[in-house]
Amino acid sequence: MAKHYGVLTFDNRGPIKSWERMTSVQRHNARTEELPHCDPAAPEPFCLRGSVSLVEDAQRELCLRGLDPSALRANGVIAHEVILTASHEYFAQGDEAERNRRLWHWVARAYLAAIKIWRKVTIVQMVLHLDEYTPHIHVVLMPLVKKVFGRRPDDGERWTLNGREITGPGEFQRAHDEYATEMKPLGLQPGVSGSGRKYRPFAEKAAEMDEQCKRAAAEADAVNAKQGAEKAEQARAAHWADEFDRLKCDRLELKEGQRLLKVEQAKVRADMLRQEVTRRALAPKEAHPTKISAQLAELSDKAAAALAEADRIRVEAQRALASALKVRAHADTLMAMANDLETARLIQARDAARAQAGCVDDALEEADLGNQLALLSVVKANGR
């Protein structure tokens, strides 16, 4: 079973030290400014203590105790803001009736816990928010206490703002421990001490979830695009495979048709030959029927033998043609080799002639034209 935790955290922006900051807190808690992460259809903020006019209520508390709101110490602590909540899953369990029961049981416990924890100071405002991801309560505390000042002991006790009443040594741990004790009957576990975890506003969580959704959507789009490309490639491959198979079948059918056509042509020629033999055999009317039948049978046998011989000759001619093609290819190869050898021989002869001609260059320069021609003839003869 999953654990659910009670959560108490101080505002991570630190204490409220100015009325401008107090005004900002008032706008947030009263929802007088539009917040993108809030559900506009959710219930309005519910004030458990104080009102939505936080600044006015805080200044009234000061005035009731004789303190001037406009004369406070510069950079002094005016108030602290604390957020009380629990694990989101705790509020999300069960049907609507169960979720409503859990919510208001927690609200009652959280309210009593806040009164008990900060009984020595003044709780100016407690407001419940139900329009964010997890229900939570904002508690605004003013550290108003009576104190005898050492420099003016004769004045007796006077009201003052002392932030150490809320954040002094051990106060944070005490607040967490007492809140955990009040949450225990609801089945909520205390947070891990010293874990270092900080409160994160839901706006940051929402932005992070939006970014995660965008990244997931981008990754999904990339995967879909890749799958689409792969499917398209597979479809193209299947198409070309089908085309290849179809062409292969067409080729086989064409070959079979050619073979059948040749068979039919042979049958037609044989029939024509038989008819011709029969016509010639029946031409002499005076021939004896028995003799004519014998002649017809003989002619038929001869015709069959002739057809068989023709088929044999055709087969041998095809084989001879194939052999001739092989011989021709071999002859072409030998001719190419012979040409290469002749070319090499001519190149060698040319180089030898040039070498010999170089030896007689001086003689050719001193001789006249006739002697040069004679010498050239001798060179050519020797070069060959």
Side-chain angles (χ1 to χ4, degrees), residues 332-352:
D332 291 339
T333 303
L334 293 176
M335 183 63 70
M337 293 174 63
N339 290 335
D340 293 339
L341 292 173
E342 179 65 18
T343 301
R345 189 188 66 76
L346 292 175
I347 291 172
Q348 291 177 356
R350 184 197 63 190
D351 294 338

Side-chain angles (χ1 to χ4, degrees), residues 340-374:
D340 293 339
L341 292 173
E342 179 65 18
T343 301
R345 189 188 66 76
L346 292 175
I347 291 172
Q348 291 177 356
R350 184 197 63 190
D351 294 338
R354 286 179 179 177
Q356 293 177 2
C359 296
V360 296
D361 285 339
D362 296 336
L364 290 175
E365 290 177 356
E366 295 175 358
D368 57 15
L369 182 60
N371 292 331
Q372 291 176 7
L373 292 175

Side-chain angles (χ1 to χ4, degrees), residues 177-192:
D177 292 344
E178 294 189 14
Y179 182 72
T181 300
E182 292 296 326
M183 295 296 108
K184 191 172 182 179
L186 300 179
L188 295 173
Q189 303 291 325
V192 179

Side-chain angles (χ1 to χ4, degrees), residues 3-8 173 176-177 180 189-198:
K3 290 184 179 181
H4 301 144
Y5 297 92
V7 180
L8 180 152
Q173 189 62 49
H176 282 87
D177 292 344
Q189 303 291 325
V192 179
S193 178
S195 65
R197 295 190 181 98
K198 300 293 184 181

